[in-house]
Amino acid sequence: MDNRTWIPTLFGVAAVGVMLAGGGGMWKVLLELLLLALCVVTNWLLVRCPRCRKWLGLKHPRYCPHCGAYIDW
């Protein structure tokens, strides 16, 4: 797993960790929403084709569905 995939995954795991932690209140809900938003945004910004720079989606294909370039994960 390279930087394109582990950074969004890290934010997602942190959001789940905060969600499963006990206690909380409004700050906990806001922190969960912030971490989930960071997960989505970093995935959208980082998981892109090196040739055409279009978003590759959530499945991490071996070839770009837009231009056909090989993706070396």
Side-chain angles (χ1 to χ4, degrees):
M1 194 179 317
D2 64 2
N3 289 346
R4 292 177 288 182
T5 55
W6 74 262
I7 293 173
T9 303
L10 179 68
F11 286 127
V13 169
V16 171
V18 170
M19 182 175 53
L20 294 177
M26 185 55 99
W27 70 268
K28 182 179 170 185
V29 173
L30 293 175
L31 182 58
E32 289 171 7
L33 291 174
L34 174 67
L35 289 170
L36 286 174
L38 284 171
C39 177
V40 170
V41 169
T42 55
N43 182 285
W44 184 75
L45 288 173
L46 297 177
V47 182
R48 296 190 167 266
C49 172
R51 188 163 81 185
C52 69
R53 302 300 303 157
K54 292 189 178 178
W55 185 57
L56 295 172
L58 298 174
K59 295 184 181 180
H60 303 271
R62 198 43 88 184
Y63 295 93
C64 176
H66 306 287
C67 70
Y70 177 74
I71 308 298
D72 184 24
W73 295 105

